[in-house]
Amino acid sequence: MKVLVNDQLVERDEAKVDIEDRGYQFGDGVYEVVRLYNGQFFTYEEHIDRLYASAAKIELTIPYSKDKLRELLESLVKENNIQTGNVYLQVSRGIQMPRNHVIPDAFPLEGILTASASNVPRNEGQFVAGGKAITLEDVRWLRCDIKSISLLGNILAKNKAHQAGALEAILHRGDLVTECSASNVSIIKNGELWTHGADNLILNGITRQVINQVASEAGITVHEADFTVQDLETADEIFISSTTLEVTPIINLNGQTVGDGKRGPVTARIHELFEKEIERRCGEGALITAK
Ligand code: DCS
């Protein structure tokens, strides 16, 4: 398996990170996870635009042009023969000695790119069967719109969910539901979709954006607006979404059955629309080879 370190493809066990790297020391960096179906990137531009936007928000310069980055990531995909899988890429601010919180004015490096790719099949069983979730107070910082590699708040929430035998932790700030530890959350009430607006309190998921678009086009009313924990608890259907989870139903919340405990009809319809979008963008056979 080969990975990218800056513009070099190297064997995974030969790739090294400097202990003075600010990503390693401070979690000072940004990342993306991009999915491939049938060897084709899905929503590539959206992910890369978000990477550059996250970097700009923390005054970090991505060391490559978008064209060069695409060339590098395509070489990574080709080298590892990725059909249906994920590319993980991150850019750290680079090496600084001695360790200092302050970002130097004349920073010697523009950032260090590392990326890996692996084949990961679609979790089709789970897309239908769904999973459990718990609710937790959202104690993360107030810039969740940045896809930062500093993920302690997310990790602790996800781990609490895991310890409770759940797939995800649905987070709320007081009464208002925000998102999950590593995905967005939407609810269905009276056939309409509700999901938190794209502000500083959530990561504006690319999956969520595609879902909202295809759902609206199909005539489903989409509210990107506040909804409460009580709305969540009384929802007809709940689903979570991310690059790897696609549209995954939540069939149990804090030990209580959601709806009739099965994937609901609107969630099923939305996943079907999402799959059509995958085929539209990645080619007709994309979902067949993705098994
Ligand atoms: N919210 C958070 C906190 C996330 O970490 C993610 C994705 C999302 C929402 C959904 O965003 P996308 O739809 O753009 O994927 N997390 C990525 C991760 O860390 N692994 O897989 C996806």
Side-chain angles (χ1 to χ4, degrees), residues 170-204:
I170 302 178
L171 308 176
H172 55 90
R173 292 196 191 257
D175 278 346
L176 297 183
V177 175
T178 51
E179 62 171 340
C180 306
S181 75
S183 57
N184 292 112
V185 59
S186 305
I187 62 169
I188 306 296
K189 254 187 194 294
N190 305 320
E192 301 186 351
L193 186 159
W194 293 78
T195 190
H196 195 285
D199 62 15
N200 61 309
L201 299 183
I202 68 160
L203 183 77
N204 188 9

PDB file of all heavy atoms in Angstrom, residues 170-204:
ATOM      1  N   ILE A 170     -25.980  11.673  18.752  1.00  0.00           N
ATOM      2  CA  ILE A 170     -26.627  12.866  18.185  1.00  0.00           C
ATOM      3  C   ILE A 170     -26.457  13.981  19.215  1.00  0.00           C
ATOM      4  O   ILE A 170     -26.839  13.823  20.386  1.00  0.00           O
ATOM      5  CB  ILE A 170     -28.118  12.604  17.873  1.00  0.00           C
ATOM      6  CG1 ILE A 170     -28.260  11.415  16.902  1.00  0.00           C
ATOM      7  CG2 ILE A 170     -28.772  13.871  17.312  1.00  0.00           C
ATOM      8  CD1 ILE A 170     -29.699  11.030  16.558  1.00  0.00           C
ATOM      9  N   LEU A 171     -25.842  15.072  18.769  1.00  0.00           N
ATOM     10  CA  LEU A 171     -25.442  16.140  19.697  1.00  0.00           C
ATOM     11  C   LEU A 171     -26.468  17.270  19.713  1.00  0.00           C
ATOM     12  O   LEU A 171     -27.122  17.556  18.704  1.00  0.00           O
ATOM     13  CB  LEU A 171     -24.070  16.673  19.291  1.00  0.00           C
ATOM     14  CG  LEU A 171     -22.979  15.604  19.103  1.00  0.00           C
ATOM     15  CD1 LEU A 171     -21.677  16.246  18.607  1.00  0.00           C
ATOM     16  CD2 LEU A 171     -22.729  14.841  20.398  1.00  0.00           C
ATOM     17  N   HIS A 172     -26.588  17.921  20.878  1.00  0.00           N
ATOM     18  CA  HIS A 172     -27.486  19.082  20.993  1.00  0.00           C
ATOM     19  C   HIS A 172     -26.847  20.126  21.895  1.00  0.00           C
ATOM     20  O   HIS A 172     -26.114  19.798  22.825  1.00  0.00           O
ATOM     21  CB  HIS A 172     -28.855  18.654  21.539  1.00  0.00           C
ATOM     22  CG  HIS A 172     -28.780  17.924  22.845  1.00  0.00           C
ATOM     23  ND1 HIS A 172     -28.828  18.559  24.058  1.00  0.00           N
ATOM     24  CD2 HIS A 172     -28.614  16.603  23.119  1.00  0.00           C
ATOM     25  CE1 HIS A 172     -28.710  17.663  25.035  1.00  0.00           C
ATOM     26  NE2 HIS A 172     -28.575  16.460  24.488  1.00  0.00           N
ATOM     27  N   ARG A 173     -27.108  21.383  21.555  1.00  0.00           N
ATOM     28  CA  ARG A 173     -26.668  22.494  22.413  1.00  0.00           C
ATOM     29  C   ARG A 173     -27.912  22.982  23.110  1.00  0.00           C
ATOM     30  O   ARG A 173     -28.762  23.618  22.482  1.00  0.00           O
ATOM     31  CB  ARG A 173     -26.027  23.600  21.591  1.00  0.00           C
ATOM     32  CG  ARG A 173     -24.697  23.183  20.971  1.00  0.00           C
ATOM     33  CD  ARG A 173     -23.871  24.373  20.491  1.00  0.00           C
ATOM     34  NE  ARG A 173     -22.746  23.906  19.685  1.00  0.00           N
ATOM     35  CZ  ARG A 173     -21.481  23.830  20.130  1.00  0.00           C
ATOM     36  NH1 ARG A 173     -21.175  24.182  21.355  1.00  0.00           N
ATOM     37  NH2 ARG A 173     -20.522  23.397  19.325  1.00  0.00           N
ATOM     38  N   GLY A 174     -28.038  22.617  24.383  1.00  0.00           N
ATOM     39  CA  GLY A 174     -29.295  22.894  25.069  1.00  0.00           C
ATOM     40  C   GLY A 174     -30.389  22.124  24.362  1.00  0.00           C
ATOM     41  O   GLY A 174     -30.268  20.914  24.138  1.00  0.00           O
ATOM     42  N   ASP A 175     -31.441  22.829  23.936  1.00  0.00           N
ATOM     43  CA  ASP A 175     -32.580  22.165  23.285  1.00  0.00           C
ATOM     44  C   ASP A 175     -32.350  21.869  21.811  1.00  0.00           C
ATOM     45  O   ASP A 175     -33.086  21.087  21.221  1.00  0.00           O
ATOM     46  CB  ASP A 175     -33.819  23.084  23.377  1.00  0.00           C
ATOM     47  CG  ASP A 175     -34.492  22.953  24.730  1.00  0.00           C
ATOM     48  OD1 ASP A 175     -34.160  21.987  25.446  1.00  0.00           O
ATOM     49  OD2 ASP A 175     -35.318  23.818  25.050  1.00  0.00           O
ATOM     50  N   LEU A 176     -31.385  22.567  21.205  1.00  0.00           N
ATOM     51  CA  LEU A 176     -31.264  22.489  19.746  1.00  0.00           C
ATOM     52  C   LEU A 176     -30.316  21.396  19.283  1.00  0.00           C
ATOM     53  O   LEU A 176     -29.160  21.314  19.729  1.00  0.00           O
ATOM     54  CB  LEU A 176     -30.790  23.831  19.176  1.00  0.00           C
ATOM     55  CG  LEU A 176     -31.748  25.013  19.387  1.00  0.00           C
ATOM     56  CD1 LEU A 176     -31.201  26.268  18.723  1.00  0.00           C
ATOM     57  CD2 LEU A 176     -33.152  24.695  18.861  1.00  0.00           C
ATOM     58  N   VAL A 177     -30.824  20.561  18.376  1.00  0.00           N
ATOM     59  CA  VAL A 177     -30.012  19.473  17.826  1.00  0.00           C
ATOM     60  C   VAL A 177     -29.064  20.065  16.773  1.00  0.00           C
ATOM     61  O   VAL A 177     -29.497  20.843  15.919  1.00  0.00           O
ATOM     62  CB  VAL A 177     -30.922  18.392  17.193  1.00  0.00           C
ATOM     63  CG1 VAL A 177     -30.087  17.319  16.509  1.00  0.00           C
ATOM     64  CG2 VAL A 177     -31.838  17.779  18.245  1.00  0.00           C
ATOM     65  N   THR A 178     -27.789  19.700  16.853  1.00  0.00           N
ATOM     66  CA  THR A 178     -26.820  20.225  15.879  1.00  0.00           C
ATOM     67  C   THR A 178     -26.487  19.160  14.820  1.00  0.00           C
ATOM     68  O   THR A 178     -27.032  19.194  13.724  1.00  0.00           O
ATOM     69  CB  THR A 178     -25.558  20.727  16.606  1.00  0.00           C
ATOM     70  OG1 THR A 178     -25.070  19.711  17.482  1.00  0.00           O
ATOM     71  CG2 THR A 178     -25.853  21.999  17.384  1.00  0.00           C
ATOM     72  N   GLU A 179     -25.611  18.227  15.172  1.00  0.00           N
ATOM     73  CA  GLU A 179     -25.211  17.162  14.240  1.00  0.00           C
ATOM     74  C   GLU A 179     -24.736  15.986  15.068  1.00  0.00           C
ATOM     75  O   GLU A 179     -25.028  15.919  16.265  1.00  0.00           O
ATOM     76  CB  GLU A 179     -24.123  17.685  13.285  1.00  0.00           C
ATOM     77  CG  GLU A 179     -22.861  18.111  13.993  1.00  0.00           C
ATOM     78  CD  GLU A 179     -21.692  18.425  13.067  1.00  0.00           C
ATOM     79  OE1 GLU A 179     -21.681  17.976  11.911  1.00  0.00           O
ATOM     80  OE2 GLU A 179     -20.753  19.093  13.523  1.00  0.00           O
ATOM     81  N   CYS A 180     -23.995  15.066  14.452  1.00  0.00           N
ATOM     82  CA  CYS A 180     -23.505  13.909  15.209  1.00  0.00           C
ATOM     83  C   CYS A 180     -21.985  13.987  15.314  1.00  0.00           C
ATOM     84  O   CYS A 180     -21.362  14.910  14.797  1.00  0.00           O
ATOM     85  CB  CYS A 180     -23.918  12.622  14.520  1.00  0.00           C
ATOM     86  SG  CYS A 180     -25.684  12.514  14.212  1.00  0.00           S
ATOM     87  N   SER A 181     -21.397  12.979  15.959  1.00  0.00           N
ATOM     88  CA  SER A 181     -19.945  13.019  16.183  1.00  0.00           C
ATOM     89  C   SER A 181     -19.162  12.948  14.870  1.00  0.00           C
ATOM     90  O   SER A 181     -18.090  13.536  14.767  1.00  0.00           O
ATOM     91  CB  SER A 181     -19.526  11.891  17.114  1.00  0.00           C
ATOM     92  OG  SER A 181     -19.545  10.648  16.447  1.00  0.00           O
ATOM     93  N   ALA A 182     -19.698  12.242  13.871  1.00  0.00           N
ATOM     94  CA  ALA A 182     -18.997  12.139  12.583  1.00  0.00           C
ATOM     95  C   ALA A 182     -19.980  12.087  11.415  1.00  0.00           C
ATOM     96  O   ALA A 182     -19.691  11.502  10.372  1.00  0.00           O
ATOM     97  CB  ALA A 182     -18.089  10.917  12.565  1.00  0.00           C
ATOM     98  N   SER A 183     -21.144  12.697  11.614  1.00  0.00           N
ATOM     99  CA  SER A 183     -22.156  12.707  10.551  1.00  0.00           C
ATOM    100  C   SER A 183     -23.179  13.797  10.851  1.00  0.00           C
ATOM    101  O   SER A 183     -23.175  14.359  11.943  1.00  0.00           O
ATOM    102  CB  SER A 183     -22.856  11.343  10.454  1.00  0.00           C
ATOM    103  OG  SER A 183     -23.437  10.985  11.700  1.00  0.00           O
ATOM    104  N   ASN A 184     -24.013  14.091   9.873  1.00  0.00           N
ATOM    105  CA  ASN A 184     -25.125  15.027  10.088  1.00  0.00           C
ATOM    106  C   ASN A 184     -26.380  14.242  10.410  1.00  0.00           C
ATOM    107  O   ASN A 184     -26.470  13.052  10.131  1.00  0.00           O
ATOM    108  CB  ASN A 184     -25.359  15.882   8.827  1.00  0.00           C
ATOM    109  CG  ASN A 184     -24.212  16.838   8.550  1.00  0.00           C
ATOM    110  OD1 ASN A 184     -23.482  16.687   7.578  1.00  0.00           O
ATOM    111  ND2 ASN A 184     -24.042  17.811   9.416  1.00  0.00           N
ATOM    112  N   VAL A 185     -27.359  14.919  11.010  1.00  0.00           N
ATOM    113  CA  VAL A 185     -28.610  14.243  11.349  1.00  0.00           C
ATOM    114  C   VAL A 185     -29.785  15.015  10.750  1.00  0.00           C
ATOM    115  O   VAL A 185     -29.787  16.248  10.732  1.00  0.00           O
ATOM    116  CB  VAL A 185     -28.770  14.071  12.882  1.00  0.00           C
ATOM    117  CG1 VAL A 185     -28.759  15.395  13.627  1.00  0.00           C
ATOM    118  CG2 VAL A 185     -30.032  13.275  13.215  1.00  0.00           C
ATOM    119  N   SER A 186     -30.755  14.258  10.251  1.00  0.00           N
ATOM    120  CA  SER A 186     -31.994  14.837   9.714  1.00  0.00           C
ATOM    121  C   SER A 186     -33.162  14.070  10.300  1.00  0.00           C
ATOM    122  O   SER A 186     -33.036  12.868  10.600  1.00  0.00           O
ATOM    123  CB  SER A 186     -32.050  14.707   8.191  1.00  0.00           C
ATOM    124  OG  SER A 186     -30.913  15.276   7.603  1.00  0.00           O
ATOM    125  N   ILE A 187     -34.284  14.755  10.451  1.00  0.00           N
ATOM    126  CA  ILE A 187     -35.493  14.057  10.899  1.00  0.00           C
ATOM    127  C   ILE A 187     -36.598  14.263   9.872  1.00  0.00           C
ATOM    128  O   ILE A 187     -36.576  15.236   9.102  1.00  0.00           O
ATOM    129  CB  ILE A 187     -35.983  14.532  12.301  1.00  0.00           C
ATOM    130  CG1 ILE A 187     -36.355  16.027  12.299  1.00  0.00           C
ATOM    131  CG2 ILE A 187     -34.940  14.237  13.359  1.00  0.00           C
ATOM    132  CD1 ILE A 187     -37.084  16.475  13.570  1.00  0.00           C
ATOM    133  N   ILE A 188     -37.547  13.338   9.878  1.00  0.00           N
ATOM    134  CA  ILE A 188     -38.734  13.444   9.027  1.00  0.00           C
ATOM    135  C   ILE A 188     -39.940  13.574   9.943  1.00  0.00           C
ATOM    136  O   ILE A 188     -40.130  12.771  10.865  1.00  0.00           O
ATOM    137  CB  ILE A 188     -38.909  12.187   8.132  1.00  0.00           C
ATOM    138  CG1 ILE A 188     -37.648  11.896   7.306  1.00  0.00           C
ATOM    139  CG2 ILE A 188     -40.155  12.337   7.251  1.00  0.00           C
ATOM    140  CD1 ILE A 188     -37.258  12.947   6.287  1.00  0.00           C
ATOM    141  N   LYS A 189     -40.701  14.636   9.677  1.00  0.00           N
ATOM    142  CA  LYS A 189     -41.952  14.859  10.416  1.00  0.00           C
ATOM    143  C   LYS A 189     -43.018  15.200   9.392  1.00  0.00           C
ATOM    144  O   LYS A 189     -42.824  16.097   8.573  1.00  0.00           O
ATOM    145  CB  LYS A 189     -41.776  16.063  11.357  1.00  0.00           C
ATOM    146  CG  LYS A 189     -41.647  15.649  12.815  1.00  0.00           C
ATOM    147  CD  LYS A 189     -41.656  16.866  13.732  1.00  0.00           C
ATOM    148  CE  LYS A 189     -41.190  16.533  15.123  1.00  0.00           C
ATOM    149  NZ  LYS A 189     -41.965  15.679  15.926  1.00  0.00           N
ATOM    150  N   ASN A 190     -44.104  14.486   9.416  1.00  0.00           N
ATOM    151  CA  ASN A 190     -45.200  14.711   8.453  1.00  0.00           C
ATOM    152  C   ASN A 190     -44.679  14.769   7.017  1.00  0.00           C
ATOM    153  O   ASN A 190     -45.079  15.636   6.240  1.00  0.00           O
ATOM    154  CB  ASN A 190     -45.955  16.007   8.787  1.00  0.00           C
ATOM    155  CG  ASN A 190     -46.442  15.999  10.226  1.00  0.00           C
ATOM    156  OD1 ASN A 190     -46.911  14.959  10.719  1.00  0.00           O
ATOM    157  ND2 ASN A 190     -46.315  17.122  10.910  1.00  0.00           N
ATOM    158  N   GLY A 191     -43.749  13.908   6.692  1.00  0.00           N
ATOM    159  CA  GLY A 191     -43.231  13.824   5.319  1.00  0.00           C
ATOM    160  C   GLY A 191     -42.214  14.891   4.957  1.00  0.00           C
ATOM    161  O   GLY A 191     -41.689  14.905   3.840  1.00  0.00           O
ATOM    162  N   GLU A 192     -41.907  15.810   5.895  1.00  0.00           N
ATOM    163  CA  GLU A 192     -40.952  16.884   5.602  1.00  0.00           C
ATOM    164  C   GLU A 192     -39.637  16.654   6.345  1.00  0.00           C
ATOM    165  O   GLU A 192     -39.625  16.085   7.441  1.00  0.00           O
ATOM    166  CB  GLU A 192     -41.563  18.243   5.982  1.00  0.00           C
ATOM    167  CG  GLU A 192     -42.853  18.502   5.210  1.00  0.00           C
ATOM    168  CD  GLU A 192     -43.450  19.890   5.424  1.00  0.00           C
ATOM    169  OE1 GLU A 192     -42.974  20.630   6.318  1.00  0.00           O
ATOM    170  OE2 GLU A 192     -44.400  20.220   4.690  1.00  0.00           O
ATOM    171  N   LEU A 193     -38.558  17.118   5.699  1.00  0.00           N
ATOM    172  CA  LEU A 193     -37.216  16.905   6.265  1.00  0.00           C
ATOM    173  C   LEU A 193     -36.764  18.150   7.034  1.00  0.00           C
ATOM    174  O   LEU A 193     -36.916  19.273   6.541  1.00  0.00           O
ATOM    175  CB  LEU A 193     -36.258  16.595   5.110  1.00  0.00           C
ATOM    176  CG  LEU A 193     -34.811  16.192   5.414  1.00  0.00           C
ATOM    177  CD1 LEU A 193     -34.218  15.451   4.211  1.00  0.00           C
ATOM    178  CD2 LEU A 193     -33.902  17.348   5.772  1.00  0.00           C
ATOM    179  N   TRP A 194     -36.192  17.916   8.198  1.00  0.00           N
ATOM    180  CA  TRP A 194     -35.604  18.990   9.007  1.00  0.00           C
ATOM    181  C   TRP A 194     -34.160  18.646   9.308  1.00  0.00           C
ATOM    182  O   TRP A 194     -33.851  17.533   9.753  1.00  0.00           O
ATOM    183  CB  TRP A 194     -36.356  19.144  10.341  1.00  0.00           C
ATOM    184  CG  TRP A 194     -37.758  19.646  10.179  1.00  0.00           C
ATOM    185  CD1 TRP A 194     -38.838  18.910   9.789  1.00  0.00           C
ATOM    186  CD2 TRP A 194     -38.220  20.989  10.374  1.00  0.00           C
ATOM    187  NE1 TRP A 194     -39.950  19.716   9.736  1.00  0.00           N
ATOM    188  CE2 TRP A 194     -39.613  21.001  10.098  1.00  0.00           C
ATOM    189  CE3 TRP A 194     -37.612  22.185  10.770  1.00  0.00           C
ATOM    190  CZ2 TRP A 194     -40.383  22.155  10.193  1.00  0.00           C
ATOM    191  CZ3 TRP A 194     -38.380  23.327  10.871  1.00  0.00           C
ATOM    192  CH2 TRP A 194     -39.738  23.314  10.576  1.00  0.00           C
ATOM    193  N   THR A 195     -33.271  19.638   9.097  1.00  0.00           N
ATOM    194  CA  THR A 195     -31.866  19.450   9.457  1.00  0.00           C
ATOM    195  C   THR A 195     -31.284  20.819   9.797  1.00  0.00           C
ATOM    196  O   THR A 195     -31.725  21.839   9.251  1.00  0.00           O
ATOM    197  CB  THR A 195     -31.082  18.739   8.322  1.00  0.00           C
ATOM    198  OG1 THR A 195     -29.787  18.370   8.789  1.00  0.00           O
ATOM    199  CG2 THR A 195     -30.964  19.579   7.066  1.00  0.00           C
ATOM    200  N   HIS A 196     -30.325  20.846  10.699  1.00  0.00           N
ATOM    201  CA  HIS A 196     -29.755  22.118  11.172  1.00  0.00           C
ATOM    202  C   HIS A 196     -29.201  22.949  10.009  1.00  0.00           C
ATOM    203  O   HIS A 196     -28.621  22.401   9.081  1.00  0.00           O
ATOM    204  CB  HIS A 196     -28.635  21.801  12.168  1.00  0.00           C
ATOM    205  CG  HIS A 196     -28.205  22.970  12.988  1.00  0.00           C
ATOM    206  ND1 HIS A 196     -27.423  23.988  12.487  1.00  0.00           N
ATOM    207  CD2 HIS A 196     -28.461  23.295  14.269  1.00  0.00           C
ATOM    208  CE1 HIS A 196     -27.211  24.884  13.441  1.00  0.00           C
ATOM    209  NE2 HIS A 196     -27.827  24.482  14.533  1.00  0.00           N
ATOM    210  N   GLY A 197     -29.356  24.245  10.078  1.00  0.00           N
ATOM    211  CA  GLY A 197     -28.825  25.129   9.039  1.00  0.00           C
ATOM    212  C   GLY A 197     -27.298  25.101   9.004  1.00  0.00           C
ATOM    213  O   GLY A 197     -26.654  24.753   9.990  1.00  0.00           O
ATOM    214  N   ALA A 198     -26.748  25.475   7.831  1.00  0.00           N
ATOM    215  CA  ALA A 198     -25.290  25.450   7.655  1.00  0.00           C
ATOM    216  C   ALA A 198     -24.663  26.686   8.291  1.00  0.00           C
ATOM    217  O   ALA A 198     -24.464  27.699   7.617  1.00  0.00           O
ATOM    218  CB  ALA A 198     -24.950  25.374   6.174  1.00  0.00           C
ATOM    219  N   ASP A 199     -24.367  26.603   9.579  1.00  0.00           N
ATOM    220  CA  ASP A 199     -23.676  27.713  10.241  1.00  0.00           C
ATOM    221  C   ASP A 199     -22.454  27.174  10.974  1.00  0.00           C
ATOM    222  O   ASP A 199     -21.981  26.069  10.658  1.00  0.00           O
ATOM    223  CB  ASP A 199     -24.646  28.483  11.166  1.00  0.00           C
ATOM    224  CG  ASP A 199     -25.204  27.610  12.288  1.00  0.00           C
ATOM    225  OD1 ASP A 199     -24.657  26.517  12.528  1.00  0.00           O
ATOM    226  OD2 ASP A 199     -26.195  28.029  12.919  1.00  0.00           O
ATOM    227  N   ASN A 200     -21.961  27.923  11.944  1.00  0.00           N
ATOM    228  CA  ASN A 200     -20.719  27.527  12.630  1.00  0.00           C
ATOM    229  C   ASN A 200     -20.892  26.326  13.563  1.00  0.00           C
ATOM    230  O   ASN A 200     -19.916  25.788  14.069  1.00  0.00           O
ATOM    231  CB  ASN A 200     -20.162  28.707  13.431  1.00  0.00           C
ATOM    232  CG  ASN A 200     -21.140  29.181  14.503  1.00  0.00           C
ATOM    233  OD1 ASN A 200     -22.312  29.430  14.213  1.00  0.00           O
ATOM    234  ND2 ASN A 200     -20.684  29.276  15.720  1.00  0.00           N
ATOM    235  N   LEU A 201     -22.140  25.911  13.799  1.00  0.00           N
ATOM    236  CA  LEU A 201     -22.363  24.829  14.768  1.00  0.00           C
ATOM    237  C   LEU A 201     -22.318  23.430  14.163  1.00  0.00           C
ATOM    238  O   LEU A 201     -22.360  22.435  14.896  1.00  0.00           O
ATOM    239  CB  LEU A 201     -23.703  25.038  15.495  1.00  0.00           C
ATOM    240  CG  LEU A 201     -23.811  26.335  16.307  1.00  0.00           C
ATOM    241  CD1 LEU A 201     -25.143  26.392  17.025  1.00  0.00           C
ATOM    242  CD2 LEU A 201     -22.662  26.456  17.301  1.00  0.00           C
ATOM    243  N   ILE A 202     -22.265  23.359  12.838  1.00  0.00           N
ATOM    244  CA  ILE A 202     -22.174  22.029  12.202  1.00  0.00           C
ATOM    245  C   ILE A 202     -21.160  22.047  11.058  1.00  0.00           C
ATOM    246  O   ILE A 202     -20.846  23.114  10.509  1.00  0.00           O
ATOM    247  CB  ILE A 202     -23.528  21.534  11.625  1.00  0.00           C
ATOM    248  CG1 ILE A 202     -23.976  22.389  10.412  1.00  0.00           C
ATOM    249  CG2 ILE A 202     -24.596  21.467  12.691  1.00  0.00           C
ATOM    250  CD1 ILE A 202     -24.985  21.695   9.521  1.00  0.00           C
ATOM    251  N   LEU A 203     -20.701  20.843  10.718  1.00  0.00           N
ATOM    252  CA  LEU A 203     -19.974  20.699   9.463  1.00  0.00           C
ATOM    253  C   LEU A 203     -21.038  20.565   8.374  1.00  0.00           C
ATOM    254  O   LEU A 203     -21.933  19.709   8.485  1.00  0.00           O
ATOM    255  CB  LEU A 203     -19.084  19.451   9.487  1.00  0.00           C
ATOM    256  CG  LEU A 203     -18.258  19.328   8.214  1.00  0.00           C
ATOM    257  CD1 LEU A 203     -17.080  20.296   8.242  1.00  0.00           C
ATOM    258  CD2 LEU A 203     -17.756  17.914   8.010  1.00  0.00           C
ATOM    259  N   ASN A 204     -20.943  21.414   7.374  1.00  0.00           N
ATOM    260  CA  ASN A 204     -21.932  21.363   6.299  1.00  0.00           C
ATOM    261  C   ASN A 204     -21.597  20.172   5.399  1.00  0.00           C
ATOM    262  O   ASN A 204     -20.870  20.290   4.420  1.00  0.00           O
ATOM    263  CB  ASN A 204     -21.909  22.686   5.534  1.00  0.00           C
ATOM    264  CG  ASN A 204     -23.043  22.798   4.527  1.00  0.00           C
ATOM    265  OD1 ASN A 204     -23.957  21.965   4.511  1.00  0.00           O
ATOM    266  ND2 ASN A 204     -22.989  23.814   3.691  1.00  0.00           N
TER     267      ASN A 204
END
